[in-house]
Amino acid sequence: MSLLAKIVRDLLVADTNYSTNLPGGITPETYPQGGVMPYAVYQGVDLQGNYFLDGTLAYSTERITVTVVALTRASCQTISQWIRQIILANATQKTLSGFTVFSLRFEDQGDQAESFADATDDQARSTTIDIIGNYKET
Amino acid sequence: MGKILLAVGTTATIVQKSGSSPVTITTLKSIGGNTESMSMADVSGLADATLVKAPARLDPGTVQFTCYLDDVASASNQFQTIKGYQTSRTAVTIAVTLPGSIVDNFLSWTGYISETSTPELIAGDDALTYTFTLAQSSY
């Protein structure tokens, strides 16, 4: 499991607006069928180690993608802004989820729409958000 | 069949030439290569149609070290220690231990800290680093 994703997930879950903004919760990679919207899924995209010459790990740089899914674009926008504010509030060095996190960055955001393949013709709006973090694992 | 070496696993120590215990250089990121160059004197005679050269003086060269800036108090920071060697003109020996079978101190340089540089500060994903240069000298 992506360590950065765990850190970000912990931040979102700990926020007082979590249950309001994401009643369907946030889960790794896929969402259970029949769940409540809006919801979010996350997955690790890239993990790079930065090493000392002696071979020990100095710190890690990781990118994750969080996908927010809702029935309306406005709802997606509200949730992505909520996530952005949480990331901005934790942008500089802090101890999060027990790890030293040197930086968190809200990097990219993109909007998509797709029809559910369940014969209802409902359309889901989604927003993908890339978050980059630098942290020390121990 | 020869064996190769990778730099990963390399450690280095620094010690004052006047005598003290070697101290490990912490947070070391990289060590630049050194070039020793022999200057060549022109000893051609007037009748020579081709330049005739003779080896003159050996320049032992410089070695550059890059370290991550360690997040410890200024008073005990390695950067400050290195700066101290520079300003006090302290002769030091830096010795490298490679990860393979080559004997320790195979790479060893003695001289003075000729340059130190402060970290470049950019809002990005790179940790802060600083560099210092050892100019080899037997003085």
Side-chain angles (χ1 to χ4, degrees):
Chain A
M1 179 179 175
S2 161
L3 187 54
L4 180 62
K6 171 181 163 40
I7 291 166
V8 170
R9 181 187 183 281
D10 288 351
L11 279 175
L12 299 182
V13 170
D15 190 84
T16 52
N17 293 316
Y18 171 72
S19 56
T20 304
N21 284 329
L22 288 178
I26 178 169
T27 56
E29 294 161 1
T30 59
Y31 189 67
Q33 193 170 15
V36 179
M37 283 204 278
Y39 63 84
V41 296
Y42 58 86
Q43 64 182 43
V45 176
D46 182 57
L47 172 61
Q48 294 181 343
N50 302 281
Y51 296 89
F52 295 114
L53 187 57
D54 66 9
T56 56
L57 184 64
Y59 68 105
S60 298
T61 301
E62 186 172 4
R63 175 189 286 261
I64 63 167
T65 295
V66 176
T67 303
V68 175
V69 182
L71 283 175
T72 65
R73 175 57 54 210
S75 179
C76 272
Q77 185 66 16
T78 299
I79 296 164
S80 64
Q81 282 299 317
W82 168 67
I83 293 173
R84 185 165 186 262
Q85 291 306 315
I86 290 174
I87 298 303
L88 286 172
N90 292 277
T92 58
Q93 184 170 333
K94 282 185 172 62
T95 299
L96 300 173
S97 304
F99 302 99
T100 301
V101 180
F102 301 111
S103 69
L104 278 181
R105 198 165 73 241
F106 188 101
E107 184 72 359
D108 294 313
Q109 178 178 322
D111 297 335
Q112 300 87 31
E114 60 180 316
S115 297
F116 286 139
D118 61 357
T120 63
D121 289 336
D122 286 338
Q123 278 206 326
R125 270 70 175 187
S126 63
T127 296
T128 56
I129 299 161
D130 277 11
I131 297 169
I132 297 175
N134 296 287
Y135 57 84
K136 188 171 175 57
E137 291 182 27
T138 56
Chain B
M1 183 68 76
K3 295 186 294 182
I4 64 163
L5 276 175
L6 269 69
V8 177
T10 297
T11 58
T13 58
I14 187 168
V15 61
Q16 296 179 41
K17 188 181 176 185
S18 58
S20 59
S21 300
V23 175
T24 299
I25 299 176
T26 61
T27 68
L28 187 59
K29 184 181 182 190
S30 65
I31 302 173
N34 175 52
T35 301
E36 291 190 358
S37 59
M38 180 72 77
S39 60
M40 303 298 288
D42 181 356
V43 294
S44 310
L46 285 175
D48 290 329
T50 303
L51 280 176
V52 180
K53 297 179 180 179
R57 291 192 179 90
L58 182 72
D59 179 353
T62 61
V63 189
Q64 190 175 67
F65 300 83
T66 301
C67 294
Y68 289 104
L69 183 64
D70 37 355
D71 183 19
V72 297
S74 301
S76 55
N77 197 289
Q78 180 176 261
F79 177 71
Q80 292 293 93
T81 303
I82 299 294
K83 289 277 290 180
Y85 289 147
Q86 182 186 32
T87 54
S88 63
R89 299 170 170 78
T90 301
V92 295
T93 296
I94 296 178
V96 165
T97 301
L98 294 168
S101 304
I102 293 177
V103 293
D104 294 353
N105 300 346
F106 171 71
L107 296 175
S108 177
W109 308 280
T110 296
Y112 297 87
I113 305 299
S114 60
E115 292 179 13
T116 54
S117 70
T118 56
E120 192 173 12
L121 305 177
I122 301 172
D125 295 322
D126 295 327
L128 299 187
T129 62
Y130 63 93
T131 61
F132 62 94
T133 302
L134 179 82
Q136 291 192 80
S137 172
S138 57
Y139 177 72

